[in-house]
Amino acid sequence: MILSNNWEKEYQSELIQCARQLRKSEEYLQDLKGQLRILEAENDFLSEKNTEYERKLSLLTNNPLSRAGLRLYHLYHKLRQMR
């Protein structure tokens, strides 16, 4: 009788510890889930910003006059560095 009572108390204390660890794990996962949402929103924002910059860059690089201007700009800087 005493052995089974001790065994039950040990089993009960282990179950309580497991429940506490499970609760801590759940809280940790909830925190990670919140961080993931924040990072996803930031990633979406940066993706949209990148798309906008690509659009602006294509306006510069797809125009022959703009390409010539960029070449002149790079040539000017090369000549300036040679001085």
Side-chain angles (χ1 to χ4, degrees), residues 26-42:
E26 185 179 359
E27 290 171 359
Y28 178 69
L29 288 174
Q30 290 297 328
D31 289 342
L32 288 177
K33 197 175 184 181
Q35 289 176 1
L36 183 64
R37 279 192 215 117
I38 291 169
L39 291 173
E40 285 176 341
E42 187 176 331

Side-chain angles (χ1 to χ4, degrees), residues 31-67:
D31 289 342
L32 288 177
K33 197 175 184 181
Q35 289 176 1
L36 183 64
R37 279 192 215 117
I38 291 169
L39 291 173
E40 285 176 341
E42 187 176 331
N43 191 29
D44 290 342
F45 171 75
L46 291 174
S47 178
E48 289 176 14
K49 197 171 184 180
N50 190 32
T51 303
E52 181 64 21
Y53 282 130
E54 286 176 354
R55 185 189 67 80
K56 288 179 181 179
L57 182 63
S58 72
L59 289 175
L60 291 174
T61 57
N62 291 341
N63 185 350
L65 187 60
S66 297
R67 272 189 261 150

Side-chain angles (χ1 to χ4, degrees), residues 73-83:
Y73 174 78
H74 289 295
L75 180 64
Y76 167 75
H77 278 284
K78 283 182 185 177
L79 291 173
R80 194 165 177 215
Q81 287 177 354
M82 293 174 79
R83 284 171 102 199

Side-chain angles (χ1 to χ4, degrees), residues 11-38:
Y11 186 70
Q12 184 179 13
S13 66
E14 286 183 28
L15 281 176
I16 290 171
Q17 285 179 341
C18 287
R20 286 179 185 154
Q21 288 177 350
L22 185 62
R23 191 177 318 124
K24 286 180 185 179
S25 296
E26 185 179 359
E27 290 171 359
Y28 178 69
L29 288 174
Q30 290 297 328
D31 289 342
L32 288 177
K33 197 175 184 181
Q35 289 176 1
L36 183 64
R37 279 192 215 117
I38 291 169

